[in-house]
C-alpha cells in the first residue's frame, strides 16, 4: 500500500503546486493591463494626482513580488483586499454568496449524478435499442442548448404555469423544503445540462469495454446481460466514470454563472459578472481563485479515487 | 480416449452457415460446415487466418460475435437445439455444460477481480456448488493444472500472474462446473515455446482425467497433432477434409492439406563461411538497456555479405533491442557497431545519409510499418527519391522495377493504398521499400510471424532470391526455429540479453547444445502425435 | 401548456426534422458524385438534417444584406412591437427589426465563433503535433503550460482575461482562442502520440526524414479524421461560450447584432409569455445541435471503419 500513499501524496503536492501557479497567474494577469492598473480603475476621470494617490493606496509603487506575497498571505488569512467600486472588504461581498452557490451546485449534483449514471448504464445495456437512440439524440440535443435557452424554456413552461418561482429568492428563515422549492428551476436547468454529458460519457465508457475479451468470456460463462454490465464492465469503467463525474461537477461550478444571472440568484457567479462589468479587479481575482480552487480540488479527488479503483495500482505484483 | 460410436453424439452441427457484416453487407464466412463430436473426444479444428475456425468454435456454443449471424444449419448439443434455444436457456448451458478457453488469458480474465472470484462465478451463478465448495474445488484444480502455490494463487489479480500460469488458470476455470464440452480457441498461440509445452501437457491431462469432450482450435499443425483424436481442416469457411490424427498426418488426401504439411520441409542450403572478409555488420561487446536495467549484456556477432544470421530467442531475450542498437535508435552503454569495418555513430541522428541508406529494416507488422495514407508509389518511391535523387519518369520506372522484383504487377498496384492489399502483399511492399534504398544490409524483424504458413513461405523464398541477386546481408530476428532452419546460414541464440550460443546452422542443429538451446530445440512441437508424450517422459527421466 | 401538448410538439418537431433530413439526403445523393453519394446514403437522418441546417446558416450568413429587410442597426419603430406583416418578428428593446437582427446575427455570431475556432485549431494542433513528434523538453514544457491553463475553468478564465483586456471583438477572439487552443493541443498531442509509436514513423526517422516531412506527410494525414471531428465539437463549445459571454453582456458588444446579447436585451418579454427572445437562443441551439449531429455521425463512421 505504501506506493499508493506515496502516489496520492505526489498528486496532492502537484495539486497544491498547481493552485500556487494559478494564484500567481490570476494575480499576475493584472500586470498585463495595457497602461496601468490605477488608470484602468479610474478610467476617464484620471488625473495625475488621483492616479498617484491610488497607486500609493494600492501599493502599486511596490515591486511585483512584494505585492504578490502580500496578497497571497492576505488570501491565506481570508483577506482578499477591498472592492474598488464600493470600498467594502471583498470577503464581506463573498460571504453568503459562496454558501448559496455551493448549495445550488450540490443540489444539482444530487439530482444529476444518480440520474445520469442510471441512464448511462441503461443505455449501454439496451444499446442500439429505441431507448438508446432516443436518449442519445435527446442528450445530444440538450448538450447543444445554451444554458440560458434551457433556463428560459423552463421558465416559460414551468414558471408561467405558476408551478415554480422564476426568481430564486432566498431568505434565511425559510425551511430546507421551501428553499429547495424556491431554487428548483435553477437546479433543474443545471441538472439537464450536465446530465446529458454525464450520461453520454458513462455509456461510452461502458460500451468501450464491451468489446474486451473478458466481457466475451463473461457472456460465454452464461452470465446475464445485467450481470455482465454491473459485475464485469462497471468495475473496470470506474476510473473513466469518476473522471466524467468530476469533470461535470467542475462544469456545474462554472455553469452556475449563467444560471445565476438568469434566475437572479444571489451567488458568486452573479458577483463575478457584475464585477467584471465594473472591472472591479480585486473581487474578480478573489472569485476566480475560489472557482479555480474548487475545480482543482475536484479533479484532485477524482484522480485519487480513480487511482484507488485500479487493482493494478492497488495490488502490485 | 473413448470414441464409442454406438453412443449418441454429444454435439452435432449440420450445414452451418454464418454471415459476417462488413461495410453494411452480409458476407458468408462459414459455408456449410458439418461437425460431430462424441463424449470424451477431442476434435482438432485447423486452418489459416480467415478459415472461420473460431467462428465455428463459438457457434457450436450457440454464440456469435457482434456483427455475425447464423444464417443456416443446425446445432444440436445433447438433444438441445442451440440455434433456436432462448437466450436464457443458452445461458443455462454456457459455463455449466459448455465452457470456453480463450486465446489470450491475460485479456480474457477480468482485471478487476481476483482469479478465485472469477473461478467461482460460474459454479455459484449456475447453482452447481456453494462459494465455499467452489473455492476448495479451485485449489484442487489449480493443483491438477500444476500451478505453483495452488492454495494462494487464486487470491491474486490477473496482472499478478504470468501468461502461462493464467492460461492454465483459465483452463481450470473452464473445468469449474465439470462441463461436457470445452472449446479451446488457440490457447497457446500467445505463449513462448518453452511455456507452451507446460500448458499443452496440463490441458491434455485434465481433459483426459475428466473425460471431457473438446474442440481444439489452432493454426499450428504440430500442436494439434498432440492434442486431438481427429483433425478437421478448414479453408475459407469450408471443410477440406477430416480424418483421424495419425491417418491425417501420414496420408493427407487433399492438395491443400498436403501443401500445409509440406511447408515445414523447405530449407535453403547453407552458404560456405567466407574467410578473411570484412563483415558488413559487426556488433562488438554491446551492453545496452532502458533506465537502470541492462537488457543486453556483452553481445557480439558478425554478419557477412550474402549471409543470413538468424537471431533466435523467446520474448524478453533482447533480440529486438539488438536491432534497435544497430539502427541507432538506442545508444549502447558500452560497445559499438561497425559497418564495413568502420564505427557507426551510436545515434541514428548523427549518421550520414549514406550510412542510413546502407542499413534498412523490414518490420513484423506490415500494417503499422506502412503509412496507411500513402500510396504504394509514394511508399516505395520516397527512399529512391531521397537517397538516389530520382525524379519524374526515372522515379516511376524505378518503382515499377521494384514492384516487378517483389512479384506484384506494377500497373495494378502502383496507385493503391496499403489497406487494399493482403497481409503478404503488404509485407512485400515493406521489402520493396527496403530495396529501394539499395542497401547492403537488411534487418528482418519477425517478418513472417504474422503471416500464414504458405504466405510466409513465399516471403522467405523471395528474400532468398533477392539476397542472391543483390549480395545482401540479412539479420533475421525470429522466435520460430522452423524459420531458422529454412533461411539461416548462422544462428545466434539469445536468452535474457546474452548470447548463449552461436555458430553456423549445420552445427547448431547438431548436439551437443548449450542447455538453453537444447530446451528451445526440444520444445518446438513436431508433427508426430507421440512427440509430447515422449518429450515429457524423457524430461521426467532426467 | 399541458405536458401532453408539450410532448406532442416535441415529437412533431423531431419527426418534422427527420422528414426534412430524409428529403435533403435524397437531394444530396442525386446531386453528388457516385462514391460520395454512397457514403451519404448511409448517413443517419439526424446527420442529414444537421447538414441541411448548416447549409442554411451558411447561406444566410453569406447573403445577410440581401436577405434582411432592414439595415443591421436601424431603428425602424417603437420598442417591443408585436409580430406583424412589416416586422415579421416584431421589434426589439430599441425598436430595431428583430428578423433583420437575427439574420445579421448569423453572420456576426457564427462568423466570430468560426474565426475563433479556426485560430484555436491552427495554434493548438500545430503545437500538439510538434510536442508529440519532437518530444523531450518541448513536449514537457508545452504540456505543463497547458496543464496549468486547463486547471482554471474556461469560463472563469475568460472572464478574468476579459476584465483585464476589456470587451472588444478582437480581445474576445484572442482570449477564447487561447483557452480553446489548450484543449485542441491536448487532443492533437494524444492523437499524434498514438501515431508516433507506429513503425512507419520509426522507418521515416531512420530514413533520415526531417521534422517538416514527419509532421506534414507522415503524422498529419493520419491525424486528420479525429481532428476534423474535434473541429466540429470545438466549434460548438466556442459558439456556446461566446454566446454565454454575450448573454452576460461581456461578449460581442452593441450595436453589432448578436444572438446572445439579443436574448439578454429582450429577456423581459419572457416574463410576459412572449417567446420572441427565445428565437435567437433557439437559433444558437439549432446550429449546435446540427453540428453535433454531423460530428456524431462522422465519429461513429470513423470508429466503425476501424473494426
Amino acid at each position: 500500500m505504501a506506493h499508493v500513499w506515496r502516489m496520492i501524496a505526489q498528486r496532492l503536492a502537484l495539486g497544491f503546486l498547481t493552485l500556487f501557479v494559478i494564484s500567481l497567474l490570476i494575480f499576475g494577469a493584472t500586470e498585463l493591463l495595457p497602461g496601468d492598473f490605477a488608470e484602468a480603475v479610474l478610467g476617464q476621470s484620471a488625473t495625475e494626482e488621483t492616479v498617484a494617490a491610488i497607486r500609493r493606496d494600492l501599493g502599486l509603487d511596490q515591486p511585483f513580488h512584494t505585492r504578490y506575497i502580500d496578497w497571497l498571505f492576505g488570501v491565506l488569512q481570508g483577506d482578499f483586499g477591498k472592492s474598488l467600486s464600493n470600498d467594502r472588504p471583498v470577503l464581506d461581498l463573498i460571504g453568503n454568496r459562496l454558501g448559496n452557490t455551493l448549495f445550488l451546485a450540490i443540489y444539482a449534483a444530487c439530482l444529476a449524478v444518480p440520474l445520469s449514471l442510471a441512464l448511462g448504464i441503461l443505455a449501454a445495456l439496451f444499446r442500439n435499442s429505441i431507448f438508446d437512440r432516443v436518449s442519445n439524440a435527446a442528450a445530444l440535443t440538450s448538450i447543444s442548448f445554451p444554458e440560458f435557452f434551457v433556463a428560459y424554456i423552463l421558465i416559460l413552461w414551468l414558471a408561467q404555469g405558476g408551478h415554480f418561482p422564476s426568481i430564486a429568492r432566498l431568505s434565511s428563515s425559510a425551511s430546507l423544503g421551501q428553499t429547495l422549492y424556491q431554487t428548483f428551476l435553477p437546479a433543474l436547468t443545471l441538472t439537464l445540462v450536465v446530465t446529458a454529458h454525464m450520461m453520454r460519457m458513462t455509456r461510452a465508457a461502458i460500451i468501450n469495454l464491451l468489446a474486451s475479451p473478458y466481457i466475451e468470456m463473461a457472456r460465454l460463462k452464461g452470465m446475464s446481460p445485467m450481470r455482465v454490465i454491473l459485475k464485469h464492465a462497471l468495475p473496470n469503467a470506474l476510473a473513466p466514470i469518476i473522471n466524467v463525474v468530476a469533470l461535470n461537477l467542475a462544469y456545474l461550478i462554472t455553469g452556475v454563472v449563467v444560471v445565476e444571472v438568469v434566475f437572479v440568484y444571489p451567488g458568486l457567479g452573479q458577483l463575478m459578472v457584475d464585477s467584471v462589468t465594473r472591472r472591479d479587479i480585486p473581487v474578480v481575482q478573489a472569485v476566480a481563485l475560489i472557482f479555480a480552487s474548487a475545480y482543482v480540488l475536484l479533479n484532485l479527488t477524482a484522480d485519487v479515487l480513480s487511482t484507488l479503483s485500479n487493482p493494478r495500482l492497488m495490488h502490485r505484483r | 480416449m473413448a470414441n464409442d460410436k454406438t453412443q449418441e453424439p454429444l454435439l452435432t452441427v449440420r450445414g452451418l452457415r454464418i454471415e459476417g457484416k462488413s461495410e453494411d453487407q452480409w458476407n458468408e464466412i462459414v459455408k456449410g460446415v458439418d461437425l460431430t463430436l462424441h463424449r470424451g473426444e477431442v476434435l482438432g479444428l485447423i486452418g489459416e487466418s480467415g478459415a472461420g475456425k473460431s467462428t465455428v468454435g463459438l457457434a457450436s456454443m450457440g454464440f456469435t460475435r457482434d456483427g455475425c449471424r447464423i444464417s443456416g444449419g443446425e446445432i444440436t448439443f445433447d438433444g438441445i437445439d442451440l440455434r433456436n434455444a432462448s437466450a436464457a436457456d443458452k445461458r443455462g448451458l454456457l459455463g455449466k455444460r459448455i465452457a470456453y478457453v480463450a486465446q489470450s488469458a491475460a485479456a480474457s480474465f477480468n482485471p478487476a477481480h481476483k482469479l478465485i472470484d472469477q473461478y467461482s462465478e460460474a459454479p455459484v451463478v449456475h447453482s452447481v456448488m456453494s462459494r465455499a465448495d467452489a473455492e476448495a474445488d479451485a485449489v484442487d484444480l489449480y493443483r491438477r493444472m500444476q500451478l505453483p502455490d495452488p492454495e494462494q494463487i487464486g487470491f491474486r489479480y490477473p496482472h499478478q500472474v504470468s501468461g502461462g500460469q493464467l492460461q492454465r488458470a483459465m483452463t481450470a476455470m473452464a473445468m469449474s462446473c465439470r462441463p461436457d464440452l470445452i472449446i479451446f480457441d488457440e490457447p497457446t498461440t500467445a505463449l513462448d515455446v518453452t511455456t507452451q509445452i507446460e500448458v499443452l501437457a496440463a490441458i491434455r491431462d485434465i481433459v483426459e482425467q475428466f473425460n471431457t469432450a473438446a474442440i481444439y482450435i489452432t493454426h499450428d499443425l504440430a500442436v494439434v497433432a498432440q492434442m486431438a483424436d481427429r483433425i478437421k481442416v478448414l479453408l475459407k469457411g469450408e471443410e477440406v477434409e477430416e480424418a483421424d490424427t495419425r491417418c491425417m498426418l501420414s496420408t493427407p488426401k487433399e492438395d491443400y492439406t498436403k501443401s500445409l504439411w509440406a511447408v515445414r520441409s523447405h530449407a535453403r542450403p547453407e552458404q560456405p563461411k567466407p574467410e578473411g572478409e570484412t563483415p558488413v555488420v559487426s556488433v562488438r561487446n554491446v551492453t545496452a538497456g532502458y533506465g537502470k536495467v541492462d537488457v543486453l549484456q556483452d553481445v557480439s556477432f558478425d554478419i557477412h555479405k550474402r549471409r543470413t544470421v538468424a537471431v533466435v530467442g523467446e520474448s524478453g531475450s533482447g533480440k529486438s533491442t539488438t536491432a534497435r542498437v544497430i539502427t541507432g535508435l538506442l545508444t549502447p552503454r558500452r560497445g559499438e557497431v561497425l559497418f564495413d569495418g568502420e564505427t557507426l555513430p551510436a545515434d541514428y541522428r548523427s549518421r550520414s545519409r549514406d550510412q542510413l541508406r546502407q542499413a534498412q529494416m523490414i518490420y513484423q507488422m506490415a500494417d503499422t510499418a506502412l503509412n496507411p495514407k500513402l500510396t504504394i508509389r509514394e511508399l516505395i518511391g520516397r527512399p529512391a527519391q531521397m537517397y538516389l535523387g530520382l525524379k519524374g519518369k526515372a522515379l516511376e520506372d524505378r518503382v515499377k522495377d521494384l514492384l516487378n522484383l517483389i512479384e506484384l504487377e506494377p500497373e495494378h498496384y502502383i496507385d493503391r493504398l496499403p489497406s487494399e492489399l493482403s497481409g503478404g502483399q503488404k509485407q512485400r511492399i515493406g521489402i520493396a521499400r527496403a530495396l529501394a534504398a539499395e542497401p547492403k544490409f537488411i534487418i528482418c524483424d519477425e517478418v513472417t510471424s504474422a503471416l500464414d504458413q504458405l504466405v510466409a513461405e513465399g516471403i522467405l523464398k523471395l528474400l532468398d532470391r533477392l539476397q542472391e541477386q543483390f549480395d545482401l546481408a540479412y539479420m533475421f530476428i525470429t522466435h520460430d526455429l522452423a524459420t531458422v532452419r529454412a533461411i539461416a546460414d548462422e544462428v545466434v541464440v539469445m536468452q535474457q540479453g546474452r548470447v548463449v550460443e552461436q555458430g553456423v546452422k549445420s552445427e547448431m542443429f547438431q548436439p551437443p547444445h548449450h542447455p538453453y538451446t537444447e530446451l528451445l530445440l526440444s520444445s518446438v512441437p513436431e508433427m508426430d502425435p507421440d512427440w509430447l508424450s515422449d518429450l515429457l517422459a524423457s524430461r521426467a527421466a532426467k | 401548456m399541458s405536458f401532453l401538448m408539450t410532448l406532442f410538439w416535441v415529437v412533431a418537431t423531431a419527426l418534422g426534422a427527420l422528414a426534412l433530413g430524409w428529403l435533403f439526403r435524397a437531394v444530396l445523393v442525386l446531386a453528388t458524385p457516385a462514391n460520395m453519394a454512397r457514403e451519404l446514403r448511409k448517413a443517419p437522418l439526424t446527420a442529414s438534417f444537421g447538414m441541411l441546417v448548416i447549409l442554411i446558416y451558411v447561406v444566410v450568413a453569406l447573403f445577410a444584406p440581401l436577405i434582411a429587410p432592414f439595415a443591421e442597426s436601424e431603428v425602424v419603430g417603437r420598442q417591443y412591437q408585436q409580430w406583424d406583416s412589416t416586422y415579421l418578428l416584431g421589434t426589439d428593446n430599441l425598436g430595431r427589426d428583430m428578423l433583420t437582427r437575427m439574420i445579421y446575427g448569423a453572420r456576426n455570431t457564427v462568423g466570430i465563433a468560426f474565426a475563433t475556432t479556426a485560430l484555436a485549431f491552427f495554434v493548438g494542433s500545430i503545437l500538439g503535433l510538434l510536442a508529440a513528434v519532437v518530444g523531450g523538453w518541448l513536449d514537457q514544457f508545452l504540456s505543463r503550460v497547458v496543464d496549468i491553463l486547463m486547471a482554471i475553468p474556461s469560463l472563469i478564465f475568460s472572464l478574468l482575461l476579459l476584465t483585464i483586456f476589456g470587451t472588444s471583438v478582437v480581445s474576445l477572439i484572442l482570449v477564447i482562442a487561447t483557452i480553446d487552443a489548450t484543449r485542441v493541443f491536448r487532443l492533437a498531442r494524444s492523437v499524434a502520440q498514438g501515431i508516433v509509436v507506429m513503425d512507419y514513423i520509426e522507418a521515416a526517422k531512420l530514413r533520415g526524414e526531417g521534422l517538416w516531412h514527419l509532421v506534414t506527410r507522415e503524422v498529419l494525414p493520419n491525424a486528420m479524421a479525429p481532428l476534423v471531428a474535434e473541429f466540429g465539437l470545438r466549434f460548438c463549445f466556442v459558439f456556446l461560450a461566446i454566446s454565454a459571454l454575450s448573454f452576460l453582456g461581456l461578449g460581442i458588444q452593441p450595436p453589432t447584432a448578436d444572438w446572445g446579447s439579443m436574448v439578454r436585451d429582450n429577456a423581459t418579454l419572457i416574463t410576459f409569455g412572449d417567446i420572441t427572445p427565445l428565437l435567437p437562443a433557439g437559433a444558437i441551439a439549432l446550429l449546435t445541435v446540427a453540428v453535433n449531429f454531423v460530428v456524431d455521425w462522422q465519429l461513429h463512421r470513423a470508429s466503425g471503419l476501424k473494426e
Side-chain angles (χ1 to χ4, degrees), chain A residues 30 33-44 46 51 84 278-279 281, chain C residues 163-164:
Chain A
T30 54
L33 268 180
D36 186 285
F37 187 64
E39 285 168 34
V41 171
L42 291 168
Q44 293 175 333
V51 168
L84 292 181
R278 286 199 289 263
R279 302 190 80 174
I281 289 173
Chain C
T163 317
I164 293 160

PDB file of all heavy atoms in Angstrom, chain A residues 30 33-44 46 51 84 278-279 281, chain C residues 163-164:
ATOM      1  N   THR A  30      -3.070  40.794 -13.986  1.00  0.00           N
ATOM      2  CA  THR A  30      -3.332  42.242 -13.958  1.00  0.00           C
ATOM      3  C   THR A  30      -2.141  43.030 -14.455  1.00  0.00           C
ATOM      4  O   THR A  30      -2.269  44.164 -14.871  1.00  0.00           O
ATOM      5  CB  THR A  30      -3.685  42.697 -12.534  1.00  0.00           C
ATOM      6  OG1 THR A  30      -2.635  42.265 -11.669  1.00  0.00           O
ATOM      7  CG2 THR A  30      -4.987  42.115 -12.070  1.00  0.00           C
ATOM      8  N   LEU A  33      -2.203  44.379 -17.928  1.00  0.00           N
ATOM      9  CA  LEU A  33      -3.065  45.510 -18.260  1.00  0.00           C
ATOM     10  C   LEU A  33      -2.366  46.501 -19.174  1.00  0.00           C
ATOM     11  O   LEU A  33      -1.257  46.938 -18.876  1.00  0.00           O
ATOM     12  CB  LEU A  33      -3.448  46.256 -16.982  1.00  0.00           C
ATOM     13  CG  LEU A  33      -4.735  45.838 -16.309  1.00  0.00           C
ATOM     14  CD1 LEU A  33      -4.952  46.668 -15.068  1.00  0.00           C
ATOM     15  CD2 LEU A  33      -5.884  46.020 -17.257  1.00  0.00           C
ATOM     16  N   PRO A  34      -3.034  46.840 -20.254  1.00  0.00           N
ATOM     17  CA  PRO A  34      -2.446  47.897 -21.077  1.00  0.00           C
ATOM     18  C   PRO A  34      -2.487  49.187 -20.251  1.00  0.00           C
ATOM     19  O   PRO A  34      -3.510  49.499 -19.637  1.00  0.00           O
ATOM     20  CB  PRO A  34      -3.376  47.982 -22.283  1.00  0.00           C
ATOM     21  CG  PRO A  34      -4.523  47.061 -22.013  1.00  0.00           C
ATOM     22  CD  PRO A  34      -4.331  46.379 -20.715  1.00  0.00           C
ATOM     23  N   GLY A  35      -1.378  49.886 -20.183  1.00  0.00           N
ATOM     24  CA  GLY A  35      -1.327  51.075 -19.343  1.00  0.00           C
ATOM     25  C   GLY A  35      -1.089  50.665 -17.904  1.00  0.00           C
ATOM     26  O   GLY A  35      -0.213  49.867 -17.623  1.00  0.00           O
ATOM     27  N   ASP A  36      -1.908  51.129 -17.022  1.00  0.00           N
ATOM     28  CA  ASP A  36      -1.648  50.939 -15.617  1.00  0.00           C
ATOM     29  C   ASP A  36      -2.947  50.555 -14.919  1.00  0.00           C
ATOM     30  O   ASP A  36      -4.017  50.992 -15.279  1.00  0.00           O
ATOM     31  CB  ASP A  36      -1.101  52.267 -15.056  1.00  0.00           C
ATOM     32  CG  ASP A  36      -0.668  52.114 -13.617  1.00  0.00           C
ATOM     33  OD1 ASP A  36      -1.561  52.051 -12.757  1.00  0.00           O
ATOM     34  OD2 ASP A  36       0.542  52.054 -13.404  1.00  0.00           O
ATOM     35  N   PHE A  37      -2.795  49.720 -13.901  1.00  0.00           N
ATOM     36  CA  PHE A  37      -3.922  49.291 -13.108  1.00  0.00           C
ATOM     37  C   PHE A  37      -4.709  50.494 -12.582  1.00  0.00           C
ATOM     38  O   PHE A  37      -5.942  50.562 -12.683  1.00  0.00           O
ATOM     39  CB  PHE A  37      -3.365  48.465 -11.951  1.00  0.00           C
ATOM     40  CG  PHE A  37      -4.385  47.792 -11.115  1.00  0.00           C
ATOM     41  CD1 PHE A  37      -5.197  46.804 -11.659  1.00  0.00           C
ATOM     42  CD2 PHE A  37      -4.534  48.115  -9.777  1.00  0.00           C
ATOM     43  CE1 PHE A  37      -6.127  46.163 -10.872  1.00  0.00           C
ATOM     44  CE2 PHE A  37      -5.469  47.471  -8.994  1.00  0.00           C
ATOM     45  CZ  PHE A  37      -6.266  46.499  -9.539  1.00  0.00           C
ATOM     46  N   ALA A  38      -3.983  51.478 -12.071  1.00  0.00           N
ATOM     47  CA  ALA A  38      -4.641  52.640 -11.467  1.00  0.00           C
ATOM     48  C   ALA A  38      -5.433  53.424 -12.503  1.00  0.00           C
ATOM     49  O   ALA A  38      -6.567  53.834 -12.255  1.00  0.00           O
ATOM     50  CB  ALA A  38      -3.599  53.546 -10.808  1.00  0.00           C
ATOM     51  N   GLU A  39      -4.833  53.585 -13.690  1.00  0.00           N
ATOM     52  CA  GLU A  39      -5.549  54.295 -14.755  1.00  0.00           C
ATOM     53  C   GLU A  39      -6.802  53.541 -15.150  1.00  0.00           C
ATOM     54  O   GLU A  39      -7.859  54.114 -15.376  1.00  0.00           O
ATOM     55  CB  GLU A  39      -4.648  54.477 -15.979  1.00  0.00           C
ATOM     56  CG  GLU A  39      -3.600  55.564 -15.783  1.00  0.00           C
ATOM     57  CD  GLU A  39      -2.553  55.519 -16.868  1.00  0.00           C
ATOM     58  OE1 GLU A  39      -2.906  55.186 -18.018  1.00  0.00           O
ATOM     59  OE2 GLU A  39      -1.387  55.793 -16.566  1.00  0.00           O
ATOM     60  N   ALA A  40      -6.655  52.203 -15.219  1.00  0.00           N
ATOM     61  CA  ALA A  40      -7.801  51.381 -15.587  1.00  0.00           C
ATOM     62  C   ALA A  40      -8.920  51.566 -14.571  1.00  0.00           C
ATOM     63  O   ALA A  40     -10.091  51.629 -14.928  1.00  0.00           O
ATOM     64  CB  ALA A  40      -7.386  49.919 -15.660  1.00  0.00           C
ATOM     65  N   VAL A  41      -8.542  51.663 -13.303  1.00  0.00           N
ATOM     66  CA  VAL A  41      -9.542  51.806 -12.258  1.00  0.00           C
ATOM     67  C   VAL A  41     -10.293  53.125 -12.408  1.00  0.00           C
ATOM     68  O   VAL A  41     -11.514  53.181 -12.345  1.00  0.00           O
ATOM     69  CB  VAL A  41      -8.869  51.742 -10.868  1.00  0.00           C
ATOM     70  CG1 VAL A  41      -9.860  52.118  -9.787  1.00  0.00           C
ATOM     71  CG2 VAL A  41      -8.318  50.363 -10.633  1.00  0.00           C
ATOM     72  N   LEU A  42      -9.534  54.157 -12.630  1.00  0.00           N
ATOM     73  CA  LEU A  42     -10.151  55.469 -12.657  1.00  0.00           C
ATOM     74  C   LEU A  42     -10.814  55.811 -13.989  1.00  0.00           C
ATOM     75  O   LEU A  42     -11.724  56.603 -14.047  1.00  0.00           O
ATOM     76  CB  LEU A  42      -9.089  56.540 -12.337  1.00  0.00           C
ATOM     77  CG  LEU A  42      -8.611  56.491 -10.888  1.00  0.00           C
ATOM     78  CD1 LEU A  42      -7.379  57.353 -10.716  1.00  0.00           C
ATOM     79  CD2 LEU A  42      -9.723  56.936  -9.956  1.00  0.00           C
ATOM     80  N   GLY A  43     -10.333  55.096 -15.044  1.00  0.00           N
ATOM     81  CA  GLY A  43     -10.926  55.353 -16.366  1.00  0.00           C
ATOM     82  C   GLY A  43     -10.662  56.780 -16.794  1.00  0.00           C
ATOM     83  O   GLY A  43      -9.567  57.316 -16.599  1.00  0.00           O
ATOM     84  N   GLN A  44     -11.721  57.441 -17.330  1.00  0.00           N
ATOM     85  CA  GLN A  44     -11.512  58.749 -17.941  1.00  0.00           C
ATOM     86  C   GLN A  44     -11.324  59.865 -16.915  1.00  0.00           C
ATOM     87  O   GLN A  44     -10.796  60.918 -17.227  1.00  0.00           O
ATOM     88  CB  GLN A  44     -12.696  59.078 -18.849  1.00  0.00           C
ATOM     89  CG  GLN A  44     -12.720  58.124 -20.046  1.00  0.00           C
ATOM     90  CD  GLN A  44     -13.928  58.320 -20.915  1.00  0.00           C
ATOM     91  OE1 GLN A  44     -14.966  58.767 -20.432  1.00  0.00           O
ATOM     92  NE2 GLN A  44     -13.782  57.988 -22.185  1.00  0.00           N
ATOM     93  N   ALA A  46      -9.290  60.034 -14.714  1.00  0.00           N
ATOM     94  CA  ALA A  46      -7.943  60.010 -14.147  1.00  0.00           C
ATOM     95  C   ALA A  46      -7.227  61.345 -14.309  1.00  0.00           C
ATOM     96  O   ALA A  46      -7.147  61.888 -15.409  1.00  0.00           O
ATOM     97  CB  ALA A  46      -7.123  58.913 -14.819  1.00  0.00           C
ATOM     98  N   VAL A  51      -4.320  59.382  -9.848  1.00  0.00           N
ATOM     99  CA  VAL A  51      -3.610  58.164 -10.215  1.00  0.00           C
ATOM    100  C   VAL A  51      -2.506  57.885  -9.218  1.00  0.00           C
ATOM    101  O   VAL A  51      -2.361  56.765  -8.708  1.00  0.00           O
ATOM    102  CB  VAL A  51      -3.043  58.265 -11.648  1.00  0.00           C
ATOM    103  CG1 VAL A  51      -2.064  57.131 -11.915  1.00  0.00           C
ATOM    104  CG2 VAL A  51      -4.165  58.238 -12.667  1.00  0.00           C
ATOM    105  N   LEU A  84     -12.951  47.708  -5.379  1.00  0.00           N
ATOM    106  CA  LEU A  84     -12.625  49.021  -5.915  1.00  0.00           C
ATOM    107  C   LEU A  84     -13.867  49.869  -6.057  1.00  0.00           C
ATOM    108  O   LEU A  84     -13.818  51.085  -5.996  1.00  0.00           O
ATOM    109  CB  LEU A  84     -11.959  48.887  -7.280  1.00  0.00           C
ATOM    110  CG  LEU A  84     -10.572  48.256  -7.300  1.00  0.00           C
ATOM    111  CD1 LEU A  84     -10.070  48.229  -8.723  1.00  0.00           C
ATOM    112  CD2 LEU A  84      -9.621  49.027  -6.404  1.00  0.00           C
ATOM    113  N   ARG A 278     -17.863  45.992 -13.972  1.00  0.00           N
ATOM    114  CA  ARG A 278     -17.322  47.191 -13.315  1.00  0.00           C
ATOM    115  C   ARG A 278     -15.806  47.195 -13.301  1.00  0.00           C
ATOM    116  O   ARG A 278     -15.212  48.120 -12.771  1.00  0.00           O
ATOM    117  CB  ARG A 278     -17.841  47.260 -11.878  1.00  0.00           C
ATOM    118  CG  ARG A 278     -19.304  47.658 -11.778  1.00  0.00           C
ATOM    119  CD  ARG A 278     -19.632  48.150 -10.374  1.00  0.00           C
ATOM    120  NE  ARG A 278     -19.636  47.055  -9.419  1.00  0.00           N
ATOM    121  CZ  ARG A 278     -20.740  46.417  -9.033  1.00  0.00           C
ATOM    122  NH1 ARG A 278     -21.905  46.764  -9.539  1.00  0.00           N
ATOM    123  NH2 ARG A 278     -20.681  45.441  -8.166  1.00  0.00           N
ATOM    124  N   ARG A 279     -15.201  46.169 -13.807  1.00  0.00           N
ATOM    125  CA  ARG A 279     -13.748  45.974 -13.780  1.00  0.00           C
ATOM    126  C   ARG A 279     -13.209  46.107 -12.352  1.00  0.00           C
ATOM    127  O   ARG A 279     -12.178  46.727 -12.111  1.00  0.00           O
ATOM    128  CB  ARG A 279     -13.044  46.952 -14.717  1.00  0.00           C
ATOM    129  CG  ARG A 279     -13.544  46.805 -16.140  1.00  0.00           C
ATOM    130  CD  ARG A 279     -12.710  47.584 -17.103  1.00  0.00           C
ATOM    131  NE  ARG A 279     -11.474  46.860 -17.434  1.00  0.00           N
ATOM    132  CZ  ARG A 279     -10.619  47.277 -18.357  1.00  0.00           C
ATOM    133  NH1 ARG A 279     -10.831  48.385 -18.995  1.00  0.00           N
ATOM    134  NH2 ARG A 279      -9.536  46.581 -18.621  1.00  0.00           N
ATOM    135  N   ILE A 281     -11.296  44.660 -10.087  1.00  0.00           N
ATOM    136  CA  ILE A 281     -10.321  43.582 -10.212  1.00  0.00           C
ATOM    137  C   ILE A 281     -10.103  42.760  -8.933  1.00  0.00           C
ATOM    138  O   ILE A 281     -10.068  41.532  -9.008  1.00  0.00           O
ATOM    139  CB  ILE A 281      -9.005  44.141 -10.787  1.00  0.00           C
ATOM    140  CG1 ILE A 281      -9.285  44.480 -12.253  1.00  0.00           C
ATOM    141  CG2 ILE A 281      -7.872  43.121 -10.703  1.00  0.00           C
ATOM    142  CD1 ILE A 281      -8.189  45.190 -12.951  1.00  0.00           C
TER     143      ILE A 281
ATOM    144  N   THR C 163     -11.828  40.906 -18.160  1.00  0.00           N
ATOM    145  CA  THR C 163     -11.768  42.040 -17.225  1.00  0.00           C
ATOM    146  C   THR C 163     -10.534  42.868 -17.512  1.00  0.00           C
ATOM    147  O   THR C 163     -10.552  44.092 -17.474  1.00  0.00           O
ATOM    148  CB  THR C 163     -11.645  41.528 -15.776  1.00  0.00           C
ATOM    149  OG1 THR C 163     -12.518  40.450 -15.610  1.00  0.00           O
ATOM    150  CG2 THR C 163     -11.982  42.619 -14.789  1.00  0.00           C
ATOM    151  N   ILE C 164      -9.431  42.142 -17.775  1.00  0.00           N
ATOM    152  CA  ILE C 164      -8.166  42.825 -17.947  1.00  0.00           C
ATOM    153  C   ILE C 164      -8.062  43.494 -19.316  1.00  0.00           C
ATOM    154  O   ILE C 164      -7.665  44.642 -19.421  1.00  0.00           O
ATOM    155  CB  ILE C 164      -7.018  41.832 -17.729  1.00  0.00           C
ATOM    156  CG1 ILE C 164      -7.036  41.405 -16.260  1.00  0.00           C
ATOM    157  CG2 ILE C 164      -5.688  42.433 -18.106  1.00  0.00           C
ATOM    158  CD1 ILE C 164      -6.318  40.135 -15.999  1.00  0.00           C
TER     159      ILE C 164
END
